[in-house]
Amino acid sequence: MGLAAPYSVGTSLPSLQRLPSLKPQICNNYSSPVTVSSHRHAKCALQLQPQPPPPPPPTATVAPDESLVKRRTVIGLLAFDAVLAYSSLNSSPAAETPPCEFQVAPSGLAFCDKLVGAGPQAVKGQLIKAHYVGRLENGKVFDSSYNRGKPLTFRVGVGEVIKGWDEGIIGGDGVPPMLAGGKRTLKIPPELGYGSRGAGCRGGSCIIPPDSVLLFDVEFVSQA
């Protein structure tokens, strides 16, 4: 009778000596002990411990642009100055230019020096250059050499201009002479101006009405 099959029904279990030997081993690089079969197809059953998450990448710090910082600083300072200036204008009344205080000569001519010149004074019959703005008492400007871009050239003190101009520039009783580079405002009564005839009259209307008091801002530029 032949040998019974090792796994036949009714036979004893195969001998343990025929089974692959099992023994506990330690997998390399891991701390947890696992059971490894000596069979060449067996695999190491790893029981891995959870690993901590990787650290977040470092945040790059970008240095601010120095020129941009300076521009922003300047803009901020300018804005601050503008706020201060606006507050100052609204918190206090605006500074007003003091009015010109006229001195009146015996002839009736009134004058006020806005700037005393440093050059030589004009001499009667001398050719000089002068800029001017002429106004009526109501403030209306009727003539200006500045608008023409050229000063008036004339001989002073010989009647080429109205009497108020000659006296106001050369000087006279109670009126000091103007010096080159000086600026003076003259208030000329009608008798030293255009009198009862007026000036620039045409068709019943005059640029300078009769008996007008005239105001002239005169700048003695230089000798011609």
Side-chain angles (χ1 to χ4, degrees), residues 37-84:
S37 172
S38 62
H39 193 274
R40 61 189 180 91
H41 295 295
K43 295 182 180 180
C44 180
L46 304 179
Q47 297 178 355
L48 303 179
Q49 294 182 352
Q51 299 296 321
T59 303
T61 302
V62 180
D65 188 351
E66 184 177 353
S67 61
L68 179 59
V69 173
K70 289 182 178 180
R71 287 198 299 271
R72 288 179 177 175
T73 303
V74 171
I75 292 173
L77 291 176
L78 290 176
F80 183 69
D81 290 342
V83 171
L84 290 180

Tab-separated table of all heavy atoms in Angstrom, residues 37-84:
chain	number	residue	atom	x	y	z
A	37	SER	N	8.624	36.061	7.258
A	37	SER	CA	8.718	34.661	6.858
A	37	SER	C	10.038	34.432	6.160
A	37	SER	O	10.521	35.309	5.428
A	37	SER	CB	7.555	34.294	5.930
A	37	SER	OG	7.737	33.008	5.409
A	38	SER	N	10.608	33.284	6.359
A	38	SER	CA	11.858	32.940	5.692
A	38	SER	C	11.649	32.555	4.251
A	38	SER	O	12.590	32.355	3.514
A	38	SER	CB	12.558	31.791	6.447
A	38	SER	OG	11.747	30.646	6.443
A	39	HIS	N	10.380	32.425	3.822
A	39	HIS	CA	10.091	32.068	2.426
A	39	HIS	C	10.556	33.206	1.537
A	39	HIS	O	10.422	34.372	1.855
A	39	HIS	CB	8.591	31.809	2.272
A	39	HIS	CG	8.260	31.147	0.971
A	39	HIS	ND1	8.042	31.851	-0.168
A	39	HIS	CD2	8.117	29.831	0.674
A	39	HIS	CE1	7.764	31.005	-1.146
A	39	HIS	NE2	7.790	29.757	-0.652
A	40	ARG	N	11.104	32.881	0.373
A	40	ARG	CA	11.687	33.886	-0.498
A	40	ARG	C	10.667	34.828	-1.096
A	40	ARG	O	11.035	35.868	-1.621
A	40	ARG	CB	12.480	33.210	-1.609
A	40	ARG	CG	11.681	32.300	-2.509
A	40	ARG	CD	12.626	31.529	-3.426
A	40	ARG	NE	11.898	30.643	-4.309
A	40	ARG	CZ	11.464	31.004	-5.530
A	40	ARG	NH1	11.688	32.225	-5.967
A	40	ARG	NH2	10.834	30.130	-6.304
A	41	HIS	N	9.383	34.466	-1.059
A	41	HIS	CA	8.340	35.346	-1.600
A	41	HIS	C	7.654	36.151	-0.515
A	41	HIS	O	6.741	36.914	-0.796
A	41	HIS	CB	7.293	34.532	-2.375
A	41	HIS	CG	7.839	33.865	-3.591
A	41	HIS	ND1	8.326	34.562	-4.675
A	41	HIS	CD2	8.002	32.533	-3.884
A	41	HIS	CE1	8.748	33.720	-5.608
A	41	HIS	NE2	8.563	32.453	-5.140
A	42	ALA	N	8.034	35.917	0.714
A	42	ALA	CA	7.377	36.649	1.801
A	42	ALA	C	7.846	38.096	1.811
A	42	ALA	O	8.957	38.405	1.418
A	42	ALA	CB	7.698	35.966	3.144
A	43	LYS	N	7.007	38.986	2.240
A	43	LYS	CA	7.302	40.424	2.318
A	43	LYS	C	7.271	40.889	3.758
A	43	LYS	O	6.541	40.348	4.583
A	43	LYS	CB	6.301	41.237	1.500
A	43	LYS	CG	6.375	40.953	0.024
A	43	LYS	CD	5.402	41.822	-0.744
A	43	LYS	CE	5.476	41.550	-2.246
A	43	LYS	NZ	4.515	42.395	-2.990
A	44	CYS	N	8.069	41.941	4.002
A	44	CYS	CA	8.139	42.483	5.357
A	44	CYS	C	6.939	43.357	5.588
A	44	CYS	O	6.744	44.347	4.874
A	44	CYS	CB	9.436	43.277	5.509
A	44	CYS	SG	9.638	44.007	7.135
A	45	ALA	N	6.085	42.905	6.520
A	45	ALA	CA	4.883	43.700	6.840
A	45	ALA	C	5.296	44.803	7.791
A	45	ALA	O	5.611	44.540	8.947
A	45	ALA	CB	3.821	42.792	7.473
A	46	LEU	N	5.334	46.015	7.290
A	46	LEU	CA	5.825	47.157	8.073
A	46	LEU	C	4.683	47.838	8.779
A	46	LEU	O	3.619	48.071	8.202
A	46	LEU	CB	6.537	48.148	7.155
A	46	LEU	CG	7.704	47.576	6.330
A	46	LEU	CD1	8.281	48.672	5.447
A	46	LEU	CD2	8.764	47.029	7.271
A	47	GLN	N	4.922	48.125	10.024
A	47	GLN	CA	3.968	48.925	10.788
A	47	GLN	C	4.629	50.288	11.030
A	47	GLN	O	5.407	50.460	11.939
A	47	GLN	CB	3.624	48.228	12.112
A	47	GLN	CG	2.936	46.870	11.933
A	47	GLN	CD	2.654	46.205	13.254
A	47	GLN	OE1	3.054	46.710	14.294
A	47	GLN	NE2	1.953	45.076	13.204
A	48	LEU	N	4.363	51.206	10.124
A	48	LEU	CA	5.033	52.511	10.157
A	48	LEU	C	4.347	53.449	11.116
A	48	LEU	O	3.114	53.466	11.208
A	48	LEU	CB	5.049	53.145	8.761
A	48	LEU	CG	5.720	52.300	7.670
A	48	LEU	CD1	5.646	53.031	6.346
A	48	LEU	CD2	7.180	52.057	8.044
A	49	GLN	N	5.140	54.212	11.822
A	49	GLN	CA	4.580	55.263	12.671
A	49	GLN	C	4.321	56.508	11.816
A	49	GLN	O	5.056	56.767	10.851
A	49	GLN	CB	5.577	55.606	13.792
A	49	GLN	CG	5.787	54.457	14.764
A	49	GLN	CD	6.720	54.843	15.870
A	49	GLN	OE1	7.314	55.914	15.838
A	49	GLN	NE2	6.852	53.969	16.864
A	50	PRO	N	3.275	57.245	12.108
A	50	PRO	CA	2.972	58.449	11.302
A	50	PRO	C	4.110	59.457	11.379
A	50	PRO	O	4.691	59.690	12.427
A	50	PRO	CB	1.701	58.998	11.954
A	50	PRO	CG	1.704	58.426	13.337
A	50	PRO	CD	2.351	57.071	13.222
A	51	GLN	N	4.459	60.030	10.220
A	51	GLN	CA	5.537	61.008	10.135
A	51	GLN	C	4.984	62.433	10.275
A	51	GLN	O	3.895	62.730	9.795
A	51	GLN	CB	6.251	60.879	8.779
A	51	GLN	CG	6.894	59.506	8.572
A	51	GLN	CD	7.997	59.257	9.582
A	51	GLN	OE1	8.747	60.181	9.902
A	51	GLN	NE2	8.091	58.023	10.080
A	52	PRO	N	5.703	63.324	10.921
A	52	PRO	CA	5.206	64.722	11.047
A	52	PRO	C	5.203	65.426	9.690
A	52	PRO	O	6.013	65.112	8.813
A	52	PRO	CB	6.226	65.380	12.002
A	52	PRO	CG	7.465	64.560	11.829
A	52	PRO	CD	6.991	63.155	11.564
A	53	PRO	N	4.265	66.368	9.469
A	53	PRO	CA	4.204	67.083	8.174
A	53	PRO	C	5.460	67.910	7.969
A	53	PRO	O	6.082	68.370	8.923
A	53	PRO	CB	2.964	67.977	8.317
A	53	PRO	CG	2.801	68.162	9.783
A	53	PRO	CD	3.255	66.868	10.408
A	54	PRO	N	5.868	68.079	6.701
A	54	PRO	CA	7.083	68.878	6.433
A	54	PRO	C	6.878	70.326	6.844
A	54	PRO	O	5.766	70.858	6.787
A	54	PRO	CB	7.252	68.746	4.905
A	54	PRO	CG	5.879	68.452	4.398
A	54	PRO	CD	5.220	67.627	5.467
A	55	PRO	N	7.931	70.990	7.273
A	55	PRO	CA	7.788	72.409	7.686
A	55	PRO	C	7.445	73.280	6.482
A	55	PRO	O	7.810	72.982	5.346
A	55	PRO	CB	9.185	72.751	8.243
A	55	PRO	CG	10.101	71.798	7.550
A	55	PRO	CD	9.312	70.523	7.369
A	56	PRO	N	6.700	74.371	6.696
A	56	PRO	CA	6.352	75.262	5.576
A	56	PRO	C	7.600	75.930	5.018
A	56	PRO	O	8.579	76.133	5.728
A	56	PRO	CB	5.421	76.306	6.233
A	56	PRO	CG	5.798	76.299	7.674
A	56	PRO	CD	6.192	74.867	7.971
A	57	PRO	N	7.580	76.236	3.718
A	57	PRO	CA	8.758	76.889	3.118
A	57	PRO	C	8.973	78.259	3.724
A	57	PRO	O	8.019	78.942	4.105
A	57	PRO	CB	8.388	76.992	1.625
A	57	PRO	CG	6.892	76.951	1.610
A	57	PRO	CD	6.492	76.065	2.749
A	58	PRO	N	10.228	78.678	3.851
A	58	PRO	CA	10.491	80.016	4.441
A	58	PRO	C	9.914	81.126	3.578
A	58	PRO	O	9.913	81.050	2.351
A	58	PRO	CB	12.029	80.068	4.491
A	58	PRO	CG	12.477	79.106	3.424
A	58	PRO	CD	11.451	77.996	3.412
A	59	THR	N	9.382	82.138	4.257
A	59	THR	CA	8.808	83.291	3.554
A	59	THR	C	9.926	84.235	3.145
A	59	THR	O	10.722	84.659	3.982
A	59	THR	CB	7.809	84.031	4.452
A	59	THR	OG1	6.807	83.102	4.863
A	59	THR	CG2	7.162	85.183	3.694
A	60	ALA	N	9.950	84.560	1.866
A	60	ALA	CA	10.998	85.467	1.361
A	60	ALA	C	10.686	86.892	1.773
A	60	ALA	O	9.567	87.362	1.621
A	60	ALA	CB	11.093	85.364	-0.164
A	61	THR	N	11.644	87.565	2.321
A	61	THR	CA	11.488	88.977	2.716
A	61	THR	C	12.104	89.856	1.644
A	61	THR	O	13.299	89.743	1.353
A	61	THR	CB	12.183	89.240	4.058
A	61	THR	OG1	11.626	88.359	5.036
A	61	THR	CG2	11.977	90.682	4.486
A	62	VAL	N	11.260	90.703	1.045
A	62	VAL	CA	11.713	91.583	-0.035
A	62	VAL	C	12.034	92.946	0.549
A	62	VAL	O	11.205	93.558	1.221
A	62	VAL	CB	10.626	91.719	-1.128
A	62	VAL	CG1	11.103	92.639	-2.243
A	62	VAL	CG2	10.274	90.336	-1.667
A	63	ALA	N	13.230	93.405	0.340
A	63	ALA	CA	13.629	94.727	0.838
A	63	ALA	C	12.886	95.805	0.075
A	63	ALA	O	12.763	95.739	-1.152
A	63	ALA	CB	15.146	94.912	0.662
A	64	PRO	N	12.314	96.806	0.755
A	64	PRO	CA	11.587	97.868	0.057
A	64	PRO	C	12.517	98.692	-0.807
A	64	PRO	O	13.681	98.891	-0.489
A	64	PRO	CB	10.995	98.702	1.217
A	64	PRO	CG	11.901	98.433	2.372
A	64	PRO	CD	12.370	97.018	2.200
A	65	ASP	N	11.966	99.162	-1.913
A	65	ASP	CA	12.711	100.032	-2.819
A	65	ASP	C	12.950	101.373	-2.127
A	65	ASP	O	12.018	102.073	-1.750
A	65	ASP	CB	11.901	100.219	-4.099
A	65	ASP	CG	12.709	100.963	-5.157
A	65	ASP	OD1	13.796	101.466	-4.819
A	65	ASP	OD2	12.252	101.054	-6.298
A	66	GLU	N	14.241	101.726	-1.943
A	66	GLU	CA	14.569	102.947	-1.201
A	66	GLU	C	14.025	104.194	-1.888
A	66	GLU	O	13.497	105.092	-1.236
A	66	GLU	CB	16.087	103.051	-1.054
A	66	GLU	CG	16.528	104.237	-0.199
A	66	GLU	CD	18.031	104.267	-0.021
A	66	GLU	OE1	18.692	103.310	-0.447
A	66	GLU	OE2	18.519	105.252	0.557
A	67	SER	N	14.103	104.240	-3.223
A	67	SER	CA	13.590	105.414	-3.942
A	67	SER	C	12.083	105.528	-3.807
A	67	SER	O	11.539	106.624	-3.682
A	67	SER	CB	13.980	105.331	-5.419
A	67	SER	OG	13.416	104.169	-6.018
A	68	LEU	N	11.387	104.359	-3.818
A	68	LEU	CA	9.930	104.386	-3.661
A	68	LEU	C	9.555	104.888	-2.278
A	68	LEU	O	8.622	105.680	-2.121
A	68	LEU	CB	9.365	102.985	-3.899
A	68	LEU	CG	7.842	102.831	-3.760
A	68	LEU	CD1	7.137	103.744	-4.745
A	68	LEU	CD2	7.426	101.389	-3.964
A	69	VAL	N	10.318	104.444	-1.266
A	69	VAL	CA	10.052	104.908	0.101
A	69	VAL	C	10.250	106.417	0.202
A	69	VAL	O	9.456	107.136	0.807
A	69	VAL	CB	10.965	104.167	1.100
A	69	VAL	CG1	10.825	104.765	2.491
A	69	VAL	CG2	10.624	102.685	1.124
A	70	LYS	N	11.330	106.933	-0.442
A	70	LYS	CA	11.584	108.369	-0.401
A	70	LYS	C	10.467	109.145	-1.085
A	70	LYS	O	10.028	110.182	-0.593
A	70	LYS	CB	12.928	108.676	-1.057
A	70	LYS	CG	14.131	108.225	-0.248
A	70	LYS	CD	15.423	108.604	-0.940
A	70	LYS	CE	16.636	108.195	-0.112
A	70	LYS	NZ	17.898	108.556	-0.775
A	71	ARG	N	10.023	108.638	-2.250
A	71	ARG	CA	8.942	109.339	-2.952
A	71	ARG	C	7.679	109.378	-2.114
A	71	ARG	O	6.997	110.401	-2.034
A	71	ARG	CB	8.673	108.657	-4.299
A	71	ARG	CG	9.746	108.913	-5.359
A	71	ARG	CD	9.228	108.595	-6.737
A	71	ARG	NE	8.844	107.215	-6.875
A	71	ARG	CZ	9.688	106.245	-7.258
A	71	ARG	NH1	10.936	106.538	-7.542
A	71	ARG	NH2	9.268	105.001	-7.371
A	72	ARG	N	7.363	108.253	-1.495
A	72	ARG	CA	6.154	108.221	-0.663
A	72	ARG	C	6.292	109.160	0.528
A	72	ARG	O	5.337	109.803	0.934
A	72	ARG	CB	5.901	106.787	-0.193
A	72	ARG	CG	5.420	105.862	-1.322
A	72	ARG	CD	5.204	104.445	-0.821
A	72	ARG	NE	4.671	103.588	-1.875
A	72	ARG	CZ	4.476	102.281	-1.735
A	72	ARG	NH1	4.770	101.689	-0.576
A	72	ARG	NH2	3.994	101.565	-2.727
A	73	THR	N	7.502	109.236	1.084
A	73	THR	CA	7.719	110.146	2.212
A	73	THR	C	7.539	111.595	1.796
A	73	THR	O	6.893	112.387	2.477
A	73	THR	CB	9.130	109.943	2.784
A	73	THR	OG1	9.286	108.574	3.173
A	73	THR	CG2	9.355	110.832	3.985
A	74	VAL	N	8.124	111.960	0.631
A	74	VAL	CA	7.987	113.337	0.142
A	74	VAL	C	6.533	113.675	-0.148
A	74	VAL	O	6.042	114.746	0.202
A	74	VAL	CB	8.859	113.526	-1.120
A	74	VAL	CG1	8.569	114.872	-1.756
A	74	VAL	CG2	10.325	113.430	-0.764
A	75	ILE	N	5.816	112.733	-0.798
A	75	ILE	CA	4.401	112.969	-1.102
A	75	ILE	C	3.614	113.158	0.180
A	75	ILE	O	2.754	114.034	0.291
A	75	ILE	CB	3.843	111.807	-1.927
A	75	ILE	CG1	4.483	111.810	-3.325
A	75	ILE	CG2	2.326	111.901	-2.050
A	75	ILE	CD1	4.125	110.604	-4.164
A	76	GLY	N	3.939	112.345	1.184
A	76	GLY	CA	3.235	112.489	2.464
A	76	GLY	C	3.494	113.828	3.123
A	76	GLY	O	2.580	114.455	3.658
A	77	LEU	N	4.756	114.295	3.061
A	77	LEU	CA	5.092	115.588	3.660
A	77	LEU	C	4.409	116.729	2.919
A	77	LEU	O	3.918	117.681	3.526
A	77	LEU	CB	6.605	115.784	3.648
A	77	LEU	CG	7.408	114.867	4.591
A	77	LEU	CD1	8.895	115.106	4.396
A	77	LEU	CD2	7.025	115.114	6.044
A	78	LEU	N	4.390	116.638	1.563
A	78	LEU	CA	3.728	117.686	0.792
A	78	LEU	C	2.236	117.732	1.105
A	78	LEU	O	1.635	118.813	1.226
A	78	LEU	CB	3.950	117.449	-0.704
A	78	LEU	CG	5.382	117.665	-1.211
A	78	LEU	CD1	5.468	117.296	-2.690
A	78	LEU	CD2	5.833	119.099	-1.000
A	79	ALA	N	1.625	116.560	1.214
A	79	ALA	CA	0.201	116.525	1.543
A	79	ALA	C	-0.047	117.124	2.925
A	79	ALA	O	-1.013	117.854	3.141
A	79	ALA	CB	-0.308	115.080	1.481
A	80	PHE	N	0.859	116.827	3.865
A	80	PHE	CA	0.712	117.377	5.216
A	80	PHE	C	0.844	118.900	5.203
A	80	PHE	O	0.076	119.606	5.865
A	80	PHE	CB	1.769	116.757	6.121
A	80	PHE	CG	1.678	117.188	7.568
A	80	PHE	CD1	0.619	116.794	8.364
A	80	PHE	CD2	2.647	118.008	8.109
A	80	PHE	CE1	0.544	117.202	9.679
A	80	PHE	CE2	2.568	118.418	9.421
A	80	PHE	CZ	1.515	118.013	10.213
A	81	ASP	N	1.833	119.403	4.431
A	81	ASP	CA	2.005	120.854	4.317
A	81	ASP	C	0.785	121.512	3.697
A	81	ASP	O	0.377	122.610	4.092
A	81	ASP	CB	3.248	121.186	3.476
A	81	ASP	CG	4.537	120.831	4.206
A	81	ASP	OD1	4.473	120.666	5.438
A	81	ASP	OD2	5.578	120.723	3.544
A	82	ALA	N	0.194	120.841	2.695
A	82	ALA	CA	-0.994	121.406	2.047
A	82	ALA	C	-2.152	121.490	3.035
A	82	ALA	O	-2.895	122.470	3.058
A	82	ALA	CB	-1.382	120.559	0.834
A	83	VAL	N	-2.290	120.459	3.869
A	83	VAL	CA	-3.363	120.484	4.879
A	83	VAL	C	-3.135	121.621	5.874
A	83	VAL	O	-4.071	122.339	6.250
A	83	VAL	CB	-3.431	119.120	5.596
A	83	VAL	CG1	-4.376	119.198	6.785
A	83	VAL	CG2	-3.893	118.042	4.628
A	84	LEU	N	-1.873	121.805	6.296
A	84	LEU	CA	-1.574	122.882	7.238
A	84	LEU	C	-1.849	124.251	6.619
A	84	LEU	O	-2.408	125.146	7.266
A	84	LEU	CB	-0.114	122.803	7.678
A	84	LEU	CG	0.265	121.627	8.588
A	84	LEU	CD1	1.747	121.694	8.924
A	84	LEU	CD2	-0.558	121.649	9.870
